[in-house]
Amino acid sequence: MARNANWQNLSDGDLLERLDEAKEEVFKLRFQIITGRLDNNARLKQAKKEVARAMTELRLREIQAAETQAQMQEATDA
C-alpha cells in the first residue's frame, strides 16, 4: 500500500514527469540490451512497472474527474 500512496500523493505534473522519465529509461534499457551493455536485466522489468503504475494512476484520475463532472451535470440538470 505504501507504493500506491506514493503515486497518489504526486501532483499531475509530477506524475507526468515521472512517466516521461520512466519511458525514457525503458527506451535506454532496451537499447542497452541490444548492444549487450545491460548488466541488470531485472531493471527493465522494474522500469516497465513504473510506466504502468504512472499510467494507471493517471487513468484513475481521469475516471474520477469524469465521474465528478457527470455528477455536477446531473445536479445542474435536476
Side-chain angles (χ1 to χ4, degrees), residues 21-35 37-38 44:
E21 290 171 1
K23 283 183 175 182
E24 184 177 338
E25 184 177 7
V26 168
F27 175 77
K28 288 179 181 178
L29 290 171
R30 286 181 178 165
F31 189 79
Q32 288 178 5
I33 286 175
I34 291 169
T35 59
R37 297 183 320 157
L38 184 62
L44 179 61

Side-chain angles (χ1 to χ4, degrees), residues 26 29 40-50 53:
V26 168
L29 290 171
N40 184 3
N41 291 336
R43 183 62 194 135
L44 179 61
K45 185 175 181 180
Q46 292 170 349
K48 286 181 179 181
K49 284 185 177 184
E50 288 178 16
R53 284 185 187 111

Side-chain angles (χ1 to χ4, degrees), residues 70-78:
Q71 289 174 354
M72 296 291 282
Q73 185 66 28
E74 287 179 7
T76 58
D77 289 343

